[in-house]
Amino acid sequence: MSLRDAFPARTIDTSSHDIVGDFFVPMLQNATRYDRGVGYFSSGWLRENAKGMAKFAENGGQARWITSPILSEEDWEYLQKGDRARGDEFLRERLKRDIDNLETALEEDTLSALAWLVADEVLTFRLALPREKLDQGEFHDKFGIFEDAAGHCVSFNGSYNDSIQGLRNYESLKVFCSWDATASFVDDDIERFRKLWGNNDPNVETYPLPEAARQQILKLRSSERPYPKPNAVGEQKIEYMSSSHKWRHQDEAISSFLEEKQGVLEMATGTGKTRTALRISTHLIEAEEISTVIVSTYGTDLLDQWYPKLRKLKNSVSRDFQIYRHYGSHRGKMKFLLNVTDKILLASRKNVPTVLNELLPEEKNRTLLIHDEVHGLGSPANRENLSGLGDNIRFRLGLSATPEREYDEEGNKFIEEHVGPVIYEFGLDDAIRRGILCPLDYVPLEYVLTEEDRERLKGVFRQAAARKKEGNPMTDKEKWIKLAKVRKTSEAKLPVFERFVAEHPEVLEKCIIFVETKEYGEKVLPIVHEHHADFHTYYGTDDDQVLDRFTQGDIECLLTCEKLSEGIDIPALENVILFSSPRAQLKTIQRIGRCLRTDPNNPTKSATVVDFIDADRSTGEDGRKSADTIRMEFLQHLASVEPNEEV
C-alpha cells in the first residue's frame, strides 16, 4: 500500500485520462489520509469514486474536506445527519469482511452512505467563507493531498471540483510528489491546508458543521449502517471507544497516563504503543497543556519510523507545529532550541541531555517527553548523562514491550526516577487472545554440544580461575556471557538445522534468522542457500536499502544479528529462527515480536518460532534454570494461548 506504486502522470486532463479511474481511484486505494480544499462538493463525487473510497475506508483512511457552503439541500441534510450521529466511538472496526457492501452503498444509496461515513469520521467537513475583506466572493480553491502509511505524499492542483459536473467538464490537474524534485510544492500544499483547517488563514474563515444542527440526529439518520464500521488510523483527536472493542487497551493506557502524567506504558509489540503516544500528544496539544514534544529513542531505523508519524501529528493538530530532527545526518537541535514553543524534536538518546539542559523551567512545564524503547534508558551512560534532567518536565512518557532490565536494579531504579513507574500493562498473552497479534507455533530443536564446544566451556572456567589468582576476578555476569557465547555459536546446531530445513523448507519464506556473530552467520548461509535462493544478510554495516527490500517483500529471508530486534514493523513476516537469543527475556520478546504482528493481507496468519535447546542442560552454572529452559517454557506458554474474541 504505497502511493509510489500508484503514481500517475504528472498532468491529468480529461482529454487524455479518466480522472476517476486513472487518478482518484488508485490514489484513494493506496492512501490513509486525504485532505481536500475545493470550491464545490456533491455526494455524486462519492458515487463515482465508490471503488476508491471503499478501499480507502478499508485502509482505515481519514479524509478532511474544506468546501464552500454551497451544497444541495439533500447533501447538506445528510452531512448533518452523519455529524450528529457521532457518539463516543472513534476508533472503528477494521473494514475487512464484506467490503463490497460499502462500494455498493456508495453507488446505490449514496446519501445514506455519506451520512455514515461522516458519522464514523472517515469523512470530516469544514465549511469555508471569505473573511471581511473578501466577503463579496466565495471559497474557490481546488487542491488536495494524499498520504500513505509510510508518509509518502502526493498533492495536486487544478480546475476540478468534486461534483458530477466536474466530471463532465474539460478539467486538468498538476500532480506533485514528496519523493522527488517537486516535494517543495507538496510541502506548500500541506501547509496551506493546515492553515485553512486550523482557521489560521487571514482571508478565510472555516467552520465545523453547525453545532445547532446536531440536536435532531436521532430523528434524521438512517436506521442501519450499510457497511461494517471501519477502523480509523488518524490521531486527530482523543475519543473513547466501546469497552468491548479489541483495541480498548489503548484508551485504557491513555486514561492512565492522563491521570498520572508520568510513567511507562508496558504494551506488547504490535499493540499500538506509538499510536497511543501520538494520541496522548494530540490530546495534550488540543487541551493546550503542552507546546513542546520531544521524542527520543536509539537507532536510525526506529527514528526514521517515527518521523512520518510525527508529520501526521503535525498535520492533524490545529496549531502550527514544526518538526526538527537531530540524529544521523540531521542537525536540527539548535533551531529547535531557538524557540521551543509549538515545536517537535525527534532526537537520538545521546543528544537529548543537552536539549533538556537548555530548557527553561516554564518550558519544561509545557513539554511532553517521550522515551521509546525505554528499557534502554537505564544503561550506565544514560544514567550519568540524564541524571536529574527530567525532574521538572511535567509530562514524561516511556514506551516498551519489556521495560524492566533483567539483573540491573540500578537501571530499573533510574528509569522509574527519570520517567516514572509502569502505569499500564498489556502483554503478549493479552494481545494474542484479543486477536491483535497472531497465534504462535513453537518448534524447539535439541542439539548436543560438540567436544570442541566443551573444551571452549572449560577454557572459560580456566580463564576465570587464572584471573581470580591474579586478583582480577571475573564477575558472574562476565562469566555467564562468555559461557553463553559458546552455546550461541555451537556448530552442533548446524546439522540439526539442515535436517529440519530439508523437511520444512517453507520455514525460510518470510523469515528472519538471528545469529550471534557475522562469522557464525557465514556458516549458516550455505544451508539457507541450498534450500532458498532469495535471501540476504543485514548486519550493522549493511545498506539500509536491504531492510526496505525485505519489508516490501523483495527479499524472502534475512539473516541478521542484533539490528532487527526492536521496533521494525514487517507485518508479512511469518517465521523467526533463533540460533541466538540473549538470556534476558526482553530480547526474546523483541525478536519473536517481529513475526507476531497480524497481516491485513493474510488474515489467517500463524507465526512460527524455531529455537535451539541444549539437550544436556536444564540448569545453569548458578543452579537456577538455564536460559534455554526459561526461554522454552515461556515460548511454550505463548504457543498455548489461543485467540478469543470475547476477551
Side-chain angles (χ1 to χ4, degrees):
M1 188 176 70
S2 172
L3 291 173
R4 300 188 70 160
D5 299 332
F7 185 60
R10 293 307 182 92
T11 300
I12 307 288
D13 65 70
T14 48
S15 293
S16 306
H17 302 90
D18 172 4
I19 285 185
V20 170
D22 293 344
F23 182 69
F24 281 106
V25 168
M27 291 291 101
L28 287 165
Q29 288 180 333
N30 287 276
T32 56
R33 181 177 287 278
Y34 175 40
D35 289 338
R36 176 66 159 145
V38 66
Y40 301 106
F41 169 86
S42 78
S43 55
W45 185 91
L46 290 176
R47 183 168 62 250
E48 296 301 318
N49 286 275
K51 184 176 181 181
M53 284 301 301
K55 183 63 176 176
F56 180 74
E58 180 185 7
N59 295 344
Q62 285 188 305
R64 299 184 293 181
W65 253 271
I66 300 172
T67 186
S68 73
I70 303 173
L71 301 162
S72 72
E73 184 176 349
E74 281 190 317
D75 285 350
W76 174 239
E77 176 187 349
Y78 278 85
L79 283 174
Q80 293 178 89
K81 282 185 179 182
D83 199 53
R84 296 186 194 116
R86 291 175 180 169
D88 290 333
E89 294 182 345
F90 176 66
L91 293 179
R92 296 174 294 275
E93 299 274 347
R94 185 185 299 275
L95 200 160
K96 204 164 172 57
R97 295 168 298 187
D98 302 323
I99 186 62
D100 290 341
N101 289 355
L102 175 55
E103 186 174 342
T104 301
L106 284 167
E107 292 171 346
E108 299 178 1
D109 192 6
T110 309
L111 289 172
S112 179
L114 169 62
W116 278 112
L117 287 168
V118 171
D120 286 336
E121 297 186 338
V122 177
L123 310 182
T124 305
F125 283 82
R126 292 183 73 93
L127 305 182
L129 287 172
R131 296 185 192 266
E132 289 183 7
K133 73 177 191 176
L134 294 178
D135 60 1
Q136 301 303 310
E138 299 169 355
F139 178 76
H140 211 255
D141 207 346
K142 302 180 185 69
F143 71 105
I145 309 107
F146 293 97
E147 184 172 2
D148 65 19
H152 303 124
C153 295
V154 171
S155 73
F156 63 95
N157 293 264
S159 61
Y160 175 72
N161 274 309
D162 293 344
S163 64
I164 292 294
Q165 188 62 41
L167 297 172
R168 296 171 181 157
N169 297 337
Y170 176 86
E171 307 284 359
S172 66
L173 304 172
K174 291 290 185 183
V175 182
F176 314 103
C177 53
S178 63
W179 56 88
D180 65 15
T182 64
S184 62
F185 294 103
V186 179
D187 291 338
D188 289 345
D189 286 334
I190 291 172
E191 177 64 13
R192 185 151 55 106
F193 186 90
R194 186 203 59 75
K195 284 184 177 179
L196 289 167
W197 191 264
N199 207 19
N200 294 317
D201 190 291
N203 294 322
V204 179
E205 187 97 30
T206 60
Y207 304 87
L209 300 183
E211 184 70 28
R214 302 184 184 189
Q215 305 305 317
Q216 304 294 323
I217 179 56
L218 294 177
K219 298 179 181 178
L220 295 175
R221 85 179 204 193
S222 53
S223 59
E224 293 186 5
R225 184 181 279 101
Y227 59 94
K229 289 185 77 181
N231 177 30
V233 298
E235 290 82 23
Q236 187 172 331
K237 65 179 182 177
I238 296 291
E239 297 284 354
Y240 292 94
M241 51 190 168
S242 164
S243 61
S244 64
H245 198 289
K246 74 176 184 178
W247 293 94
R248 64 184 181 273
H249 63 280
Q250 293 182 8
D251 296 324
E252 295 163 357
I254 291 169
S255 295
S256 296
F257 182 79
L258 294 179
E259 181 177 351
E260 300 293 337
K261 297 182 176 58
Q262 296 166 10
V264 175
L265 304 181
E266 182 177 344
M267 297 167 61
T269 182
T271 61
K273 293 186 296 296
T274 304
R275 181 180 299 178
T276 301
L278 292 170
R279 291 178 63 201
I280 288 170
S281 303
T282 302
H283 177 85
L284 293 175
I285 289 169
E286 300 296 1
E288 299 189 355
E289 296 273 8
I290 61 171
S291 55
T292 307
V293 179
I294 299 173
V295 179
S296 172
T297 187
Y298 57 88
T300 301
D301 293 334
L302 287 175
L303 290 159
D304 283 345
Q305 284 197 13
W306 266 95
Y307 181 61
K309 296 170 184 176
L310 290 173
R311 282 189 60 189
K312 287 186 178 182
L313 171 67
K314 162 188 162 58
N315 293 333
S316 67
V317 296
S318 57
R319 281 160 44 201
D320 185 11
F321 270 74
Q322 299 299 313
I323 304 175
Y324 294 93
R325 291 184 278 178
H326 199 89
Y327 64 90
S329 61
H330 304 289
R331 291 291 180 267
K333 180 176 67 176
M334 296 311 297
K335 289 183 179 180
F336 168 81
L337 286 171
L338 287 174
N339 181 2
V340 301
T341 301
D342 290 346
K343 299 294 191 301
I344 299 170
L345 177 66
L346 177 61
S348 58
R349 197 91 78 201
K350 67 180 181 180
N351 290 307
V352 169
T354 55
V355 173
L356 299 184
N357 199 43
E358 293 290 329
L359 294 182
L360 299 173
E362 58 269 26
E363 293 171 337
K364 289 186 175 183
N365 190 52
R366 292 184 54 78
T367 293
L368 169 63
L369 173 62
I370 301 173
H371 281 294
D372 193 14
E373 305 297 348
V374 73
H375 49 270
L377 201 65
S379 70
N382 285 326
R383 297 202 299 267
E384 179 180 350
N385 295 334
L386 286 166
S387 180
L389 293 181
D391 291 352
N392 296 317
I393 293 178
R394 185 179 175 197
F395 297 99
R396 289 174 266 163
L397 173 61
L399 306 172
S400 182
T402 51
E404 185 174 350
R405 296 170 63 88
E406 293 190 63
Y407 314 115
D408 185 4
E409 289 304 316
E410 286 188 41
N412 292 328
K413 182 180 178 182
F414 175 78
I415 292 171
E416 185 165 343
E417 291 172 349
H418 183 72
V419 180
V422 173
I423 57 175
Y424 183 77
E425 296 180 44
F426 188 78
L428 286 173
D429 295 35
D430 302 313
I432 294 172
R433 287 192 188 93
R434 204 173 286 176
I436 295 169
L437 298 180
C438 70
L440 165 69
D441 291 325
Y442 176 56
V443 182
L445 300 178
E446 290 191 340
Y447 69 99
V448 177
L449 292 175
T450 65
E451 287 303 317
E452 181 184 352
D453 294 331
R454 297 182 191 282
E455 283 301 314
R456 291 166 64 199
L457 290 175
K458 292 176 182 177
V460 174
F461 288 109
R462 287 194 294 267
Q463 184 182 3
R467 283 185 46 179
K468 183 177 181 180
K469 188 175 181 179
E470 294 168 358
N472 178 29
M474 264 188 202
T475 64
D476 287 340
K477 183 176 180 179
E478 186 179 0
K479 182 168 65 176
W480 292 340
I481 289 173
K482 290 179 178 292
L483 293 170
K485 189 166 185 178
V486 172
R487 292 184 170 85
K488 290 173 183 176
T489 58
S490 171
E491 294 189 23
K493 299 176 184 179
L494 299 176
V496 176
F497 177 61
E498 188 167 18
R499 288 192 295 271
F500 179 76
V501 171
E503 296 177 5
H504 306 281
E506 68 279 1
V507 78
L508 296 178
E509 298 172 4
K510 301 176 182 177
C511 174
I512 292 180
I513 302 174
F514 285 101
V515 295
E516 179 67 10
T517 64
K518 185 175 181 179
E519 292 72 23
Y520 192 84
E522 295 299 320
K523 298 174 183 178
V524 175
L525 279 178
I527 301 173
V528 175
H529 187 254
E530 183 179 352
H531 297 281
H532 204 291
D534 188 7
F535 68 92
H536 208 289
T537 57
Y538 184 67
Y539 301 116
T541 57
D542 284 337
D543 191 331
D544 285 348
Q545 288 184 359
V546 172
L547 180 59
D548 292 337
R549 290 176 59 204
F550 182 65
T551 303
Q552 294 166 11
D554 295 336
I555 299 171
E556 280 275 349
C557 181
L558 208 62
L559 194 145
T560 187
C561 295
E562 180 73 15
K563 198 168 178 64
L564 278 182
S565 287
E566 297 184 35
I568 307 303
D569 186 3
I570 311 172
L573 184 69
E574 294 184 7
N575 304 304
V576 166
I577 298 172
L578 300 175
F579 275 95
S580 169
S581 190
R583 181 183 183 93
Q585 191 175 95
L586 68 89
K587 292 294 185 182
T588 299
I589 290 173
Q590 288 161 354
R591 291 186 175 188
I592 67 170
R594 302 306 102 227
C595 68
L596 291 181
R597 296 176 187 266
T598 55
D599 181 2
N601 298 315
N602 182 12
T604 61
K605 172 183 169 181
S606 179
T608 298
V609 174
V610 178
D611 190 15
F612 290 87
I613 304 296
D614 184 345
D616 294 333
R617 184 172 178 263
S618 59
T619 59
E621 284 73 19
D622 57 357
R624 296 184 290 179
K625 287 182 180 179
S626 70
D628 282 2
T629 302
I630 293 171
R631 187 175 64 254
M632 180 173 64
E633 290 178 350
F634 169 67
L635 293 174
Q636 285 174 334
H637 167 69
L638 284 184
S640 70
V641 177
E642 296 182 358
N644 182 355
E645 294 182 359
E646 297 181 1
V647 172

